[in-house]
Amino acid sequence: MSDNENPIAKSPEEQFWFAMSATFGRGLKAKTFLEDKSVECFVPMKYEIVNDRKEGKVRKLIPAISNLIFVHTTKKRIQSLKALTP
């Protein structure tokens, strides 16, 4: 496949959905960081029944897949954001 046929190589400013991983337990923090930078992102969520010491069984909204976040932006923008994060 040549570069002319590759849809990713058409425009460096074209937006795509990227699947990214966050370090353990920081998927929602990464989502907040990206939203603060006006970047469209999505963390798949699900409800789960968990035992809470104070309230007993509670229905909580949690990430469906640990540490996974989908980001809709340009490749250049995502690289610059990754450089900003420690």
Side-chain angles (χ1 to χ4, degrees):
M1 178 183 263
S2 69
D3 286 341
N4 294 338
E5 297 174 17
N6 187 351
I8 294 175
K10 285 184 180 178
S11 170
E13 297 304 316
E14 190 173 354
Q15 291 191 349
F16 293 96
W17 281 100
F18 295 91
M20 300 182 67
S21 64
T23 55
F24 182 75
R26 294 192 176 116
L28 295 177
K29 288 181 183 178
K31 181 178 187 284
T32 302
F33 170 79
L34 291 168
E35 288 174 337
D36 289 344
K37 303 291 184 192
S38 301
V39 175
E40 183 181 5
C41 55
F42 172 75
V43 175
M45 303 291 282
K46 68 176 182 177
Y47 282 101
E48 189 172 283
I49 305 296
V50 294
N51 285 323
D52 188 287
R53 290 182 185 186
K54 296 178 183 175
E55 300 176 26
K57 291 186 178 182
V58 179
R59 184 176 178 223
K60 286 190 174 183
L61 190 61
I62 62 168
I65 304 170
S66 297
N67 309 321
L68 180 68
I69 183 168
F70 294 97
V71 182
H72 189 233
T73 190
T74 63
K75 184 176 180 179
K76 187 176 183 178
R77 174 86 169 138
I78 204 164
Q79 288 172 340
S80 67
L81 289 170
K82 284 174 70 175
L84 289 175
T85 57

